[in-house]
Amino acid sequence: MTYTKSKVKYKISIIGDSISTYIGFNPYDYPVYYKDDRAYDNEIESVDDTWWKQVIDNVGGELCVNNSYSGSLVAGNYESSACSAERCSMLHTSDVTPDIILIYIGTNDRGFEVNVGIESPNDTQNFYGAYRAMLRQLKTNYPAAKIICATLLMGKLKDTVDLAYDRFMREDNRYNEAIRLAVKEESCLLADIARSDERYETLDYCHPTKCGHKLIADLWGKALKILL
């Protein structure tokens, strides 16, 4: 497909956590990580430095809704949980529904060691059951949208090698395996960016710097070339 700047190919919505927030681009009552000093410290000068804005621009898209909530999990029975009815029904505007839904969430579930629960596919207190519930609701609410889920990357400290921390925070692949299985079982699309074994740059092992966002965007871009 040929992209022309005069025509928007896709309306794209996002489901994410703090990694995908940016001041002024999330629902008004959602907590946002990338604002003020945090944006400055991470060299995020504008929304154009975020991974998702780069991805949207690179595929010739336009943002529909960025439903990213700082600190949120996939699992649980909270309104902030990505599996909640509230979040799964807030991916459209009054007159526009998404053509594509990009999902990059689960870092907090992994960080808080939420039970993965592969053996309990209907239990939304577990990561796997919650991820499947999220996908089922999204398919019901937005049947025409392509739902694309990414596996989770690990962060690394900028300009630092901390072998003790790396051993402590070694990648727990159980969550990515749960994402892969949930995507397969719910017949959605997978951007398996974790297969790259890349680590994005951070100041805190979690939130990408400008350079980290660029890496995430590039990996998403490679995946979308195949999926779209």
Side-chain angles (χ1 to χ4, degrees), residues 8-15 20 24-28 30 47 52-53 55-57 59-68 87-102 138 141-142 144-146:
V8 173
K9 284 199 298 186
Y10 307 112
K11 300 288 187 178
I12 300 177
S13 290
I14 312 293
I15 292 184
S20 303
F25 285 84
N26 305 105
Y28 78 93
Y30 280 22
V47 68
W52 52 270
K53 183 60 162 54
V55 169
I56 290 173
D57 289 346
V59 300
E62 183 175 272
L63 180 65
C64 185
V65 173
N66 183 349
N67 192 292
S68 295
R87 291 193 67 184
C88 289
S89 61
M90 292 175 59
L91 279 295
H92 63 283
T93 66
S94 59
D95 57 352
V96 178
T97 56
D99 302 306
I100 298 170
I101 299 172
L102 303 181
L138 292 174
N141 294 339
Y142 305 102
K146 288 186 177 180

Side-chain angles (χ1 to χ4, degrees), residues 4-71:
T4 59
K5 290 185 178 180
S6 61
K7 185 177 181 180
V8 173
K9 284 199 298 186
Y10 307 112
K11 300 288 187 178
I12 300 177
S13 290
I14 312 293
I15 292 184
D17 49 33
S18 58
I19 290 172
S20 303
T21 60
Y22 188 78
I23 187 168
F25 285 84
N26 305 105
Y28 78 93
D29 57 343
Y30 280 22
V32 172
Y33 181 84
Y34 287 104
K35 61 180 181 179
D36 305 327
D37 289 348
R38 285 174 174 170
Y40 178 84
D41 290 344
N42 285 281
E43 302 179 318
I44 307 296
E45 298 176 10
S46 76
V47 68
D48 294 328
D49 293 328
T50 63
W51 75 264
W52 52 270
K53 183 60 162 54
Q54 294 176 64
V55 169
I56 290 173
D57 289 346
N58 287 339
V59 300
E62 183 175 272
L63 180 65
C64 185
V65 173
N66 183 349
N67 192 292
S68 295
Y69 190 112
S70 184

